[in-house]
Amino acid sequence: MTVKSPSELRARWSRGIAVFLLAAFLAACGGGGADEEGPPPDPYPVSIASPTWDPTYETDGAGVALSGSAFVPAGSSCACVGLACLFGHGTLPPGYQVTWVNATTGQSGSAWQFYLNCLLQVRVIWDAVVPLAPGINVIRINASDSSGNTGAATLTVTRLLDTTPPQVAGISPANGATNVDVNSSVTVTFSEAMDPASVNATNLVLLDGIGSVIPATVAIGPYANTWTLKPNSPLAYATSHSFTVTSATRDVAGNPLSATPSISFTTAGAPDIFPPAVVAVSPAAGSNCAGAATVVTVTLSEDIVPITLFLTVKGPDGLPVAGSVSHQGGTLLWSFHAFDELNPGITYSATVAAGLKDYSGNATLADYSWNFSTSGDGVDRCD
């Protein structure tokens, strides 16, 4: 058996109203018959229509949603205003109220809504959600107006013992998930309401890659029956983590989990925060072995955005050498091909301009330059 949440209980009020309106309609349209003597009608009636017309009811829920009708106080009006006209709602005079009391627990409160219904039969319609204690609960619905007129109805509700164990309905991240953000929390969804004292960082356990418990805080989540474990600090990058819900977690009736699920997930790798770098050049810096047809090459540490690379070669006069730039092996290896032969015995300078950018958006801040010289006879002797 499962414990129903207050939102689920409230959802049942509409069914009770439908039962009441149908009954009222049939009563209003009923046929005649022989007059019979009977007790005079209650001038201030209150009735409970849902979850039952009977005087007793059984449930395994932690609360019960009730709905019904109550007497119409003097001063009420079916002249509607605005949106109320669409639903047949009238106006009640000030001071009218509908309340409930659980005589077993001593708890009391107001109906969560009540209004004057002007469709078919004029009645005050009310809805209330009443918390229950295990066993028998005697619930009384009271209606009263500002003149001191009162009416009441009573329902005896027995809350049955819940012996159904809870289950874990879902865990996020999913089992086997990869590239999980290191700032992620773990969310657990249970099949029913849980005892808050049992859902804690001792019973929801997150382990790191070497099996050590990760300190964390557990709090109720934004949705029904969800709980969130938030690590006190970011998780390690590119690391497998495991998460377990222990059998010490239990529902509000004290039933432990029927199974203790475990999942594992892997966090994403560390973000790239370093700009690309030149790791090799040819001809080498300071060399004097280049030939007239030597191709100038640059090898980078990582792939780059092609349009951000500017490789130039200049002669001793500072004027750029005409040529073309291309890349091979992805965008790691770049080559400068001079349109004309290089002059023998000349020192040239080559530059990779600042602003070279990788695919993570990291860019170099300074030029990378080096000098090399051609051989006296223009023959390549660098090999």
Side-chain angles (χ1 to χ4, degrees):
M1 299 180 184
T2 57
V3 178
K4 300 175 178 61
S5 67
S7 61
E8 293 171 318
L9 294 170
R10 288 174 179 154
R12 300 177 57 185
W13 75 269
S14 59
R15 295 196 296 272
I17 291 176
V19 171
F20 166 74
L21 291 177
L22 177 60
F25 176 77
L26 293 176
C29 299
D35 293 335
E36 296 181 1
E37 292 292 335
D42 185 350
Y44 306 108
V46 175
S47 66
I48 299 173
S50 178
T52 179
W53 288 97
D54 297 331
T56 61
Y57 180 69
E58 293 183 346
T59 180
D60 63 356
V64 62
L66 305 178
S67 62
S69 66
F71 71 90
V72 178
S76 298
S77 172
C78 278
C80 59
V81 177
L83 290 177
C85 299
L86 297 177
F87 303 100
H89 292 185
T91 304
L92 291 169
Y96 189 85
Q97 59 181 342
V98 179
T99 60
W100 59 265
V101 60
N102 186 333
T104 301
T105 65
Q107 290 180 285
S108 61
S110 297
W112 71 272
Q113 77 164 355
F114 58 90
Y115 58 90
L116 181 64
N117 173 69
C118 294
L119 295 176
L120 299 180
Q121 193 172 28
V122 178
R123 286 287 188 271
V124 171
I125 302 297
W126 58 264
D127 303 279
V129 176
V130 181
L132 300 175
I136 295 176
N137 297 257
V138 179
I139 300 170
R140 182 181 176 92
I141 302 296
N142 301 299
S144 62
D145 61 19
S146 59
S147 298
N149 301 310
T150 61
T154 301
L155 176 66
T156 299
V157 179
T158 300
R159 179 179 171 185
L160 303 174
L161 181 65
D162 176 11
T163 59
T164 302
Q167 299 178 350
V168 172
I171 299 176
S172 178
N175 187 33
T178 58
N179 293 319
V180 175
D181 192 292
V182 295
N183 294 303
S184 295
S185 298
V186 179
T187 299
V188 184
T189 302
F190 295 97
S191 59
E192 58 178 298
M194 303 295 287
D195 177 7
S198 73
V199 186
N200 51 48
T202 299
N203 299 331
L204 272 58
V205 184
L206 180 61
L207 304 178
D208 62 17
I210 60 175
S212 298
V213 175
I214 296 175
T217 301
V218 175
I220 192 166
Y223 306 107
N225 305 329
T226 63
W227 294 79
T228 299
L229 180 141
K230 182 174 179 59
N232 294 345
S233 58
L235 302 176
Y237 290 110
T239 301
S240 177
H241 296 75
S242 61
F243 175 78
T244 301
V245 183
T246 74
S247 60
T249 53
R250 56 187 181 272
D251 63 18
V252 292
N255 300 305
L257 278 179
S258 59
T260 55
S262 295
I263 62 108
S264 63
F265 61 89
T266 303
T267 49
D272 178 10
I273 60 174
F274 300 102
V278 175
V279 296
V281 295
S282 178
S287 65
N288 55 9
C289 56
T294 292
V295 175
V296 178
T297 64
V298 175
T299 303
L300 304 175
S301 60
E302 59 180 314
D303 285 314
I304 63 158
V305 179
I307 62 173
T308 65
L309 182 131
F310 296 94
L311 173 59
T312 59
V313 177
K314 295 181 179 180
D317 55 4
L319 297 176
V321 175
S324 63
V325 177
S326 60
H327 60 86
Q328 304 84 37
T331 56
L332 297 178
L333 179 62
W334 292 79
S335 303
F336 176 89
H337 299 262
F339 292 153
D340 300 316
E341 291 186 345
L342 301 179
N343 295 321
I346 296 297
T347 298
Y348 291 88
S349 64
T351 299
V352 177
L356 187 65
K357 186 179 294 185
D358 64 19
Y359 284 97
S360 295
N362 304 303
T364 57
L365 301 179
D367 293 345
Y368 182 94
S369 300
W370 78 101
N371 296 327
F372 65 90
S373 300
T374 52
S375 63
D377 57 4
V379 176
D380 190 340
R381 293 186 172 85
C382 292
D383 295 334

